[in-house]
Amino acid sequence: MPRLLRPRLFISLLSAALLVQAGQTQSPEPRHLLLSGNLVTPDGVIPHGWLDIFNGHILHLEREKPNLPGAQVLETNDLVFAGFIDLHNHPTFNIFPRWTPPHKFPNRYAWRDWSAYQQQLESKGYALIADPANFCDIDEYAEVKALIGGTTSIIGLGSNHMPGEDNKPSPDCLRGLVRNLDHYTGFYGSEVDHERIANSIGILPRDMDSATAARRAKEIADGTLDLLTIHIAEGLPTDSESAQELDMLEAHGLLGSHTALIHSVGLSPSQLARVHRTGASIVWSPRSNFELYGATANVAAAFREGVTISLAPDWSPTGSDNMWEEIQYARDVSNHQLNGLFSNRQLVEMASSVPSQVAHIDDKVGTIAAGMYADFFLVKPSANAANPVANPYDTILNGNIAGSVDLVVINGIPVYGDPAMLKSLHLPTEPLQVCGTEKALNSAALPNGPFAQVETRLRTKMKAMGAELGPLDSCPTP
């Protein structure tokens, strides 16, 4: 298969598409893209502002349209948000439909060792991932699933997340559609697996041996590893097996400002105070927690103690299909169980600027600002919204992804959204139905070829092993 252009290449696909139409074959000259909208920045909304995008970056934020002859122009009235950064996911399992066990569990080891889970999900998932012919199809499907909900960076894809394959090289398709934080972002050169973020399933010997723990601690001490995300205390506060994990993490020298503790369901207020003192953070995945354990992390205590909290969906089988939906689920938890602890703005930032700070990439992504990589998405203001510019975050909390997300841009390249918007930029497109709404993908950016073919191959292979391909989105009503 010929190698496809991907978002991480520092050549404007906008220019490339125009040259192909004109029959030219020489290397294209990058062009500026001028995009207007209501820019949601850390300092507030710039109404009817303009982004000047060039070579993958936001060069300027302007209140008036810049005078740049030859630039491509996209004028909108949409809200423009920084792309979501997903610090906890298992995307290779997001090809499966929802999995609803008949009972709750005391910890993650109980369901991981349960024969029903192993037969219904784990064995099938690992069998599919193990075949190189399938892996890049799984990658593309999972990335599109994340993308439609505004995610521009994700973690957890890669064949080295299979047991015993920690050092196996990643396939080239992980250059990807979204940025793969632990495999390829484009931030640190052109090679795959030269990232500064690592992801681990846990600290017990079954998940991390002492040699790997020592290596991670050395990488943090040497300054070559910016973040280790690791599952810790994924069990009820009464569970003794989960309770030991924080101590084990600290004993290995891995509890500190370069560590994000995934789930943390079983951590007590005093343990959360300890997390804060060390500078570590937690990643909250409430929907999956309630589905599996009937409880979630004590984020009220974490918030009181000053612990930094990111938000992420975990995986589709028991969590949300994407970041957008997990934010809405977390809002309901906050309102109904936590006395409105988190504002809408805080919840959106827990999925964007906060995880960028946790991952030490806040100089690159996570906010709309000059000098940042151009990773963002456009949201159509709700028709019933009284003042979307004054309350921009309400648009995400009250909207649905099919009707609301007009465009997703990664590295300055529009990769998904409204078909008319993509076509106005002369991009090659592939149609996509999301919850009955016509959308489109930038077909030149897909990591493993036409999405319809990827979907057909996966559906056929999963059917042969007695499984179903899960939907791209569960299509909740707003």
Side-chain angles (χ1 to χ4, degrees):
M1 177 181 291
R3 188 169 176 176
L4 297 172
L5 291 171
R6 297 186 177 92
R8 234 54 76 236
L9 298 177
F10 290 101
I11 291 177
S12 170
L13 266 176
L14 306 179
S15 302
L18 290 172
L19 287 170
V20 168
Q21 288 178 342
Q24 300 178 39
T25 57
Q26 68 266 33
S27 296
E29 287 295 324
R31 294 174 65 189
H32 289 255
L33 169 63
L34 300 179
L35 184 146
S36 69
N38 300 296
L39 312 181
V40 184
T41 78
D43 298 323
V45 179
I46 301 175
H48 310 295
W50 286 86
L51 295 178
D52 177 6
I53 300 161
F54 183 74
N55 245 5
H57 289 74
I58 299 171
L59 293 190
H60 305 285
L61 279 67
E62 304 287 353
R63 295 187 179 274
E64 303 292 336
K65 181 180 178 181
N67 182 17
L68 285 174
Q72 288 213 295
V73 178
L74 181 62
E75 296 192 51
T76 83
N77 291 313
D78 286 359
L79 292 158
V80 182
F81 289 91
F84 293 138
I85 298 168
D86 183 350
L87 288 186
H88 174 223
N89 214 310
H90 303 270
T92 45
F93 282 86
N94 290 348
I95 57 173
F96 290 98
R98 287 201 67 76
W99 180 65
T100 307
H103 55 80
K104 306 303 180 188
F105 302 90
N107 60 38
R108 67 195 182 106
Y109 307 109
W111 60 264
R112 285 173 65 191
D113 294 337
W114 188 36
S115 60
Y117 163 73
Q118 292 171 345
Q119 292 165 11
Q120 294 167 22
L121 284 180
E122 185 178 75
S123 61
K124 293 180 172 67
Y126 283 151
L128 285 164
I129 297 166
D131 184 347
N134 298 333
F135 181 83
C136 288
D137 282 345
I138 295 170
D139 166 59
E140 181 168 312
Y141 192 86
E143 290 194 34
V144 169
K145 192 167 189 170
L147 184 75
I148 65 175
T151 297
T152 53
S153 296
I154 200 167
I155 202 168
L157 274 160
S159 56
N160 62 4
H161 292 288
M162 290 182 63
E165 295 194 354
D166 188 55
N167 294 312
K168 183 177 179 181
S170 297
D172 193 59
C173 58
L174 283 175
R175 294 175 184 275
L177 193 59
V178 303
R179 297 186 193 273
N180 286 292
L181 294 170
D182 47 342
H183 293 288
Y184 189 79
T185 60
F187 298 154
Y188 310 110
S190 60
E191 298 298 317
V192 177
D193 290 331
H194 283 238
E195 296 304 313
R196 299 177 60 87
I197 296 174
N199 185 39
S200 176
I201 199 71
I203 194 64
L204 293 188
R206 63 185 283 173
D207 295 319
M208 181 184 285
D209 58 35
S210 56
T212 301
R215 174 163 57 88
R216 294 303 187 204
K218 184 177 185 301
E219 290 168 342
I220 290 172
D222 291 346
T224 56
L225 185 66
D226 288 335
L227 180 67
L228 173 67
T229 62
I230 185 166
H231 294 65
I232 293 292
E234 189 181 345
L236 297 174
T238 53
D239 177 62
S240 58
E241 199 166 12
S242 300
Q244 65 181 316
E245 294 180 355
L246 191 68
D247 291 338
M248 293 180 67
L249 190 71
E250 189 165 36
H252 283 295
L254 292 173
L255 183 61
S257 60
H258 295 272
T259 310
L261 313 183
I262 296 169
H263 293 300
S264 305
V265 179
L267 295 184
S268 67
S270 63
Q271 287 176 312
L272 289 164
R274 185 169 148 206
V275 169
H276 172 64
R277 287 194 301 271
T278 63
S281 66
I282 67 171
V283 183
W284 185 35
S285 299
R287 185 174 185 181
S288 188
N289 294 162
F290 279 113
E291 187 72 36
L292 292 170
Y293 314 113
T296 191
N298 189 344
V299 290
F303 185 76
R304 285 196 305 269
E305 295 294 342
V307 177
T308 299
I309 306 168
S310 301
L311 186 62
D314 191 0
W315 63 344
S316 295
T318 59
S320 297
D321 285 325
N322 52 61
M323 293 284 275
W324 181 291
E325 290 177 9
E326 189 71 6
I327 292 168
Q328 293 184 335
Y329 187 92
R331 181 268 316 271
D332 292 341
V333 172
S334 175
N335 288 349
H336 299 145
Q337 300 188 31
L338 302 173
N339 197 31
L341 177 65
F342 299 116
S343 69
N344 288 350
R345 174 172 180 166
Q346 285 172 314
L347 290 167
V348 171
E349 289 178 344
M350 286 160 66
S352 52
S353 59
V354 171
S356 75
Q357 293 162 15
V358 168
H360 303 275
I361 53 175
D362 51 313
D363 60 334
K364 300 175 178 65
V365 291
T367 54
I368 301 293
M372 304 291 277
Y373 282 85
D375 290 12
F376 57 84
F377 60 93
L378 274 62
V379 178
K380 183 180 295 153
S382 167
N384 342 348
N387 190 344
V389 174
N391 302 290
Y393 304 97
D394 296 358
T395 305
I396 291 177
L397 273 298
N398 299 325
N400 67 80
I401 63 171
S404 300
V405 179
D406 270 343
L407 197 69
V408 180
V409 176
I410 301 176
N411 209 60
I413 300 165
V415 291
Y416 162 81
D418 176 73
M421 280 192 180
L422 290 171
K423 287 178 181 176
S424 74
L425 296 170
H426 307 285
L427 290 166
T429 60
E430 178 180 356
L432 184 72
Q433 281 263 339
V434 179
C435 300
T437 301
E438 292 293 335
K439 297 291 186 179
L441 294 162
N442 177 343
S443 57
L446 295 170
N448 206 41
F451 184 75
Q453 295 178 20
V454 164
E455 194 173 22
T456 298
R457 288 193 296 266
L458 282 175
R459 197 179 302 280
T460 300
K461 289 174 181 177
M462 293 180 75
K463 184 177 180 180
M465 60 169 52
E468 292 180 25
L469 178 64
L472 275 180
D473 188 79
S474 53
C475 305
T477 55

